[in-house]
Amino acid sequence: MTTDETLSSGSFNLILYAARQRGADSSALCRAVGVDSAVLQNPDGRVSIQAVQALWKEVIQMTGESDLPLQLGELINPLSLGVLSYVMMHCPTLGKAIEKLCHYQDIACEGVQTVGRLVGDRFHLSLTLTSKAIIYPDYTLGSELSMYQSAFRALTGLPVVAEEIRYAFPAPENQLAYERVFAPARLVFDASETVLILDAAWLDTPILNANPSLYALFDQHAGELLRQLRTTAEVPAALSVRVKQEIFTLLKGEEPALAAVAEGLAMGVRTLQLHLKEEGFTYQQLLDEVRHDLAVRHLREPNFSTTDIAYLLGFSEPSVFYRTFKKWTGSTPGAYRTAALRLTA
């Protein structure tokens, strides 16, 4: 166990949103736990687990509702966890979505390990705390399972219910709140592990409106985010590399602005431009490199439409993407794809 794990800014914002629904002042909460609002404006920003634990304490004190973590799945959109949600929304079945949830768990929260396993005709989704910074396991595990339950229902459009939920902490004073949120599941406290148990038949349930092409795009995007999150290079990366990584994380339907990238790197725009010049680059060059590399990668996959690729790369219109790609390569996206697929056939 370590104490340097983080939570995504998106997940932190969901807690703030739930707190606001119960009358709390989100700005006061951020000040109380020492979190800069600028970090929360970055979709791929990270907040320490320590700050999240402090936030739960402040939220409950401010609202007077000890069961607020359990209400999280009811108060917010359970499919608003950024790229992780996008991947799950386009999986073919609930079982595949849960598999991806387990694989990409760290993108949302590094302090909890989520693992699924079949036990006979039952599916066990177990949650294990991996961070010493988590001092309120009931808040953490209760909110996670509340979110999971709501997400499974939203993904399938069906009342997915657990048969049993075991918690690896003593029975809380607000046990009735657990019974209300997770009914009709049988609840067990002081268990050896925290685990949600489903009838395995639920795993074959189709996901509503899943798009295989978008699934592949978002899965690839999530994989890159996870790789970056787990990269712990001893030697600091060159600024140009860090800028390209920041551009990659911000490519979500619109062109990343230089100011947004500078903010994500905690630098001023002018300072960033000067340091890039020292390395022999301009921001536009790096943006073009990232877009070019991703475009080439996506065009080699036959199931990706060029419209989807244009959107993912932040182009305002597919026609702009076509013109830009031809400028880069001398070929249209369609012609490039045809040639690339012919070579791999």
Side-chain angles (χ1 to χ4, degrees):
M1 286 190 176
T2 61
T3 58
D4 58 352
E5 294 87 356
T6 60
L7 184 92
S8 70
S9 61
S11 298
F12 193 91
N13 281 326
L14 292 181
I15 301 174
L16 289 178
Y17 176 82
R20 287 198 299 273
Q21 304 313 299
R22 292 295 182 257
D25 182 332
S26 57
S27 296
L29 286 169
C30 287
R31 289 194 298 270
V33 301
V35 172
D36 187 346
S37 60
V39 174
L40 302 180
Q41 294 170 8
N42 177 1
D44 293 299
R46 309 294 298 183
V47 181
S48 72
I49 294 292
Q50 291 98 323
V52 179
Q53 294 292 286
L55 176 65
W56 275 126
K57 181 180 178 181
E58 293 292 333
V59 164
I60 290 171
Q61 287 181 345
M62 191 174 290
T63 63
E65 298 192 36
S66 62
D67 65 336
L68 191 59
L70 299 176
Q71 300 177 39
L72 201 59
E74 302 169 325
L75 292 173
I76 57 89
N77 180 353
L79 299 179
S80 53
L81 288 174
V83 69
L84 173 55
S85 294
Y86 302 150
V87 173
M88 294 175 68
M89 288 165 60
H90 295 292
C91 287
T93 64
L94 180 60
K96 189 66 174 180
I98 293 175
E99 177 188 321
K100 291 300 178 180
L101 168 66
C102 295
H103 182 68
Y104 293 128
Q105 166 70 47
D106 283 354
I107 294 177
C109 176
E110 294 181 281
V112 181
Q113 181 184 47
T114 305
V115 177
R117 65 183 185 276
L118 282 173
V119 181
D121 60 356
R122 297 295 180 266
F123 179 76
H124 288 213
L125 186 65
S126 65
L127 284 71
T128 303
L129 301 181
T130 60
S131 172
K132 291 181 179 179
I134 296 178
I135 56 177
Y136 302 118
D138 51 341
Y139 301 161
T140 301
L141 297 171
S143 61
E144 291 257 341
L145 286 179
S146 171
M147 285 284 293
Y148 291 173
Q149 176 177 265
S150 294
F152 298 164
R153 294 174 179 177
L155 287 167
T156 62
L158 295 172
V160 180
V161 293
E163 294 185 352
E164 180 174 304
I165 300 178
R166 303 169 189 166
Y167 286 102
F169 54 80
E173 294 182 0
N174 61 340
Q175 187 169 336
L176 288 177
Y178 284 79
E179 294 173 358
R180 180 191 68 78
V181 171
F182 297 109
R186 175 174 175 262
L187 301 181
V188 178
F189 294 93
D190 244 344
S192 59
E193 67 172 341
T194 296
V195 58
L196 179 148
I197 302 174
L198 290 170
D199 185 328
W202 283 113
L203 301 181
D204 295 325
T205 307
I207 299 299
L208 295 174
N209 304 315
N211 183 318
S213 296
L214 290 179
Y215 163 73
L217 286 172
F218 289 126
D219 188 42
Q220 190 173 58
H221 193 70
E224 181 64 19
L225 287 178
L226 187 62
R227 185 194 66 76
Q228 291 181 17
L229 189 61
R230 291 177 175 174
T231 298
T232 53
E234 294 183 3
V235 179
L239 179 61
S240 57
V241 174
R242 291 163 53 208
V243 168
K244 290 174 72 173
Q245 290 174 339
E246 190 69 19
I247 290 172
F248 181 89
T249 61
L250 292 175
L251 274 174
K252 295 178 180 176
E254 61 181 21
E255 179 178 315
L258 172 60
V261 171
E263 182 177 324
L265 296 174
M267 301 177 69
V269 170
R270 183 59 178 161
T271 300
L272 175 58
Q273 290 175 316
L274 288 174
H275 287 317
L276 283 178
K277 185 176 180 180
E278 291 173 359
E279 292 187 15
F281 296 100
T282 66
Y283 175 72
Q284 189 62 48
Q285 283 177 313
L286 298 178
L287 175 61
D288 285 346
E289 285 184 21
V290 173
R291 282 174 152 175
H292 174 270
D293 292 346
L294 288 174
V296 167
R297 185 190 308 176
H298 294 329
L299 285 168
R300 289 172 180 164
E301 299 293 334
N303 295 324
F304 296 172
S305 75
T306 51
T307 299
D308 289 338
I309 296 172
Y311 170 79
L312 192 65
L313 299 184
F315 287 97
S316 57
E317 296 288 344
S319 59
V320 179
F321 169 54
Y322 301 154
R323 290 196 300 271
T324 304
F325 189 83
K326 187 170 184 179
K327 179 181 177 182
W328 289 336
T329 66
S331 174
T332 66
Y336 182 91
R337 162 171 280 165
T338 299
L341 295 178
R342 187 183 298 120
L343 289 174
T344 57

